[in-house]
Amino acid sequence: EVLDELPPKTEIVQKVELSSEEMALYEHLRQQAIANIEEGSSSPVRTLAEITRLRQAACHPALVNEGFNKLASSKTKVFMVDDLIGNQHRALVFSQFTSHLALIRKELDSKGISCLYLDGTMSVNEREKQVSRFQQGEGHLFLISLKAGGTGLNLTAADYVIHLDPWWNPAAED
C-alpha cells in the first residue's frame, strides 16, 4: 500500500562501463557460453545458468570466480554512496545475488558505512528485527535480496531505492 499524497517516483538509470579487465573477462565468458550453447549439449537450464553467470560478471568479477576478487568492480566503484550518506539520505539497496550484497557489505564495512542486511534465509523474527532497526533510524543503508524484499516489506524510513542488478522481469522488479 502506498500513500496517495506521495510524489511520483523519480527514476535514474546509471549505466556503468566495465573496465578493460572486466570487459576481457566478460567477453571470455560470453564466448564460452556461445560455444556451450552451439555445441548442442546445452539445455534451457544450462542456457539460463550461462546468462546468469554473465550477469554476475557484469556486477563483480568475484561473483564468477573468487580468484578474481583482486579485480576491481566498476559497478562497486560507481555504487559507493558517500554523497548520499553525506546528505543524510537513507537507501534500500537491492540485488538478485546475495553474494553480490556480501561483497558490497564488505566494501561498506571497510569504509565505516553502517548498513543492515536482509535475505531469504532469515527467520521471520530476525527479519522483523532488521526492519524495525532500519525504521528506527539505524544504518544508512539496508541491503536486501530481491526475493526477500518481495514479500511484504513496508519500509518508509528510506528516501532512495537502489537496484544494483535489476531483474529480467520488470513486473517482478516493481
Side-chain angles (χ1 to χ4, degrees), residues 30-45:
R30 190 181 74 79
Q31 291 298 330
Q32 272 185 334
I34 290 170
N36 290 342
I37 291 167
E38 285 179 347
E39 64 185 38
S41 62
S42 185
S43 67
V45 171

Side-chain angles (χ1 to χ4, degrees), residues 79 81 84-85 89-95 101 104-105 108 113-119 122 126-146 148-149 153-164:
F79 167 72
V81 290
L84 192 87
I85 293 168
H89 294 288
R90 299 181 74 221
L92 309 177
V93 180
F94 290 95
S95 175
L101 290 175
I104 292 293
R105 188 178 194 179
L108 292 170
I113 298 172
S114 62
C115 66
L116 296 169
Y117 178 82
L118 175 70
D119 70 26
M122 293 182 152
E126 182 59 27
R127 178 185 172 91
E128 288 172 0
K129 283 181 188 174
Q130 294 292 80
V131 168
S132 178
R133 288 172 61 196
F134 187 77
Q135 289 295 95
Q136 292 172 14
E138 190 176 329
H140 291 95
L141 304 172
F142 198 173
L143 308 180
I144 307 170
S145 71
L146 275 172
L153 284 181
N154 188 8
L155 294 162
T156 57
D159 53 351
Y160 279 81
V161 175
I162 300 169
H163 287 271
L164 292 174

Side-chain angles (χ1 to χ4, degrees), residues 16-34:
V16 177
E17 188 170 325
L18 298 178
S19 69
S20 57
E21 294 87 1
E22 288 172 295
M23 187 53 90
L25 171 64
Y26 186 90
E27 184 58 24
H28 173 74
L29 293 172
R30 190 181 74 79
Q31 291 298 330
Q32 272 185 334
I34 290 170

Side-chain angles (χ1 to χ4, degrees), residues 80 102-115:
M80 291 323 306
L103 292 170
I104 292 293
R105 188 178 194 179
K106 183 178 176 184
E107 187 72 25
L108 292 170
D109 287 347
S110 76
K111 293 184 178 272
I113 298 172
S114 62
C115 66

